[in-house]
Amino acid sequence: PPRAAAPRLLCVIYTYSKHHATNARTAAETWLPRCDGSLILSDTTDEAEGIVGVPHEGKEEYNNIWQKTRANWRYVYEYYREEFDYFHIAGDDTFVVADNMRAFLQRPEILEAHARGDPLFLGRRMKASGNPDHLFNTGGSGYTFNRAALELLYDSFDEPFCAPHLHGFWEDVAVADCFKKGPWRLVPRDTRDDTGAERFHMLSPGQHLQYRLPPPGWGTQYS
């Protein structure tokens, strides 16, 4: 049978005005063009850098990333959901190898789930406070939705179980909670390869290269 067409991938980074000419520009000049589409969202519009300002509830600060994330996903849904099959969002300090991402999205188990219309929530799974029943995909590596998951999240955003007015930095946990408490009871999918190695990495390449198991802390507790 003919090989399925490669999925169309939109890569989104979120940033803020002080990083427009540094982190955001670096992403725009390196890995973002390798995606099928790219989008840089910020607190202010910057036409010179190709950045879109998206307003959100509350202040522009680290302790309000959940509201920033809610607004960013709304924007992606309202303007881009029909153009792409998958949507990856990450901070402006992330690097994505788009060809590797597409190869993963074309694995048989992912293709089959996507063809069934299942919502897919993909990333680097972690356990909130070490609780194996409270999984989330860490924002450090970014995480990926298919269109069905994006629609599911959008439809749940204003429900009480989705904490619509919560202000906090733990947007990755909040996204996972919103999915799990919603109608699909969706949880993060295991994205490790056949050897058990992670595909999504929350640390920098140098940190991974030099990594040694640290004393017990949040990293070991959450992994």
Side-chain angles (χ1 to χ4, degrees):
R3 183 176 175 83
R8 289 184 52 78
L9 172 66
L10 177 69
C11 296
V12 183
I13 64 169
Y14 57 88
T15 188
Y16 73 119
S17 55
K18 290 184 179 179
H19 282 185
H20 286 188
T22 53
N23 293 29
R25 182 184 295 173
T26 298
E29 293 176 348
T30 54
W31 66 269
L32 277 176
R34 296 180 180 274
C35 303
D36 299 294
S38 62
L39 190 59
I40 304 176
L41 303 180
S42 183
D43 57 322
T44 58
T45 295
D46 186 336
E47 294 183 2
E49 299 289 346
I51 296 172
V52 178
V54 179
H56 59 74
E57 177 184 310
K59 296 180 179 180
E60 175 65 28
E61 61 182 6
Y62 178 68
N63 201 41
N64 198 28
I65 296 180
W66 171 228
Q67 291 300 325
K68 186 181 183 79
T69 297
R70 283 167 41 82
N72 287 344
W73 277 124
R74 282 187 187 279
Y75 185 88
V76 170
Y77 174 92
E78 290 169 0
Y79 290 97
Y80 291 94
R81 74 181 183 276
E82 297 298 337
E83 295 182 40
F84 299 93
D85 304 300
Y86 287 89
F87 308 83
H88 182 81
I89 195 167
D92 62 14
D93 57 350
T94 307
F95 190 98
V96 175
V97 182
D99 289 343
N100 289 357
M101 176 75 81
R102 288 194 197 88
F104 170 59
L105 297 176
Q106 291 183 89
R107 287 185 58 83
E109 66 272 20
I110 301 297
L111 289 174
E112 290 168 10
H114 183 68
R116 288 195 303 267
D118 293 351
L120 295 174
F121 180 28
L122 309 169
R124 206 293 196 180
R125 298 185 306 168
M126 301 197 81
K127 301 175 290 188
S129 300
N131 182 354
D133 294 321
H134 193 183
L135 297 178
F136 68 100
N137 283 325
T138 176
S141 59
Y143 39 85
T144 308
F145 303 157
N146 65 352
R147 189 182 302 129
L150 176 63
E151 292 172 349
L152 185 64
L153 186 69
Y154 182 87
D155 289 343
S156 298
F157 263 149
D158 291 327
E159 298 294 336
F161 64 77
C162 208
H165 302 292
L166 176 71
H167 290 199
F169 63 84
W170 49 90
E171 46 79 32
D172 45 11
V173 176
V175 166
D177 287 350
C178 192
F179 276 134
K180 187 174 183 179
K181 295 175 182 177
W184 263 81
R185 299 293 189 260
L186 182 64
V187 295
R189 189 184 185 96
D190 187 351
T191 59
R192 292 174 295 180
D193 68 16
D194 294 338
T195 71
E198 299 287 353
R199 288 186 168 95
F200 292 75
H201 305 287
M202 61 181 177
L203 306 176
S204 70
Q207 288 173 306
H208 282 287
L209 180 64
Q210 300 175 25
Y211 186 82
R212 298 294 181 272
L213 191 64
W218 79 267
T220 51
Q221 182 188 19
Y222 279 55
S223 291

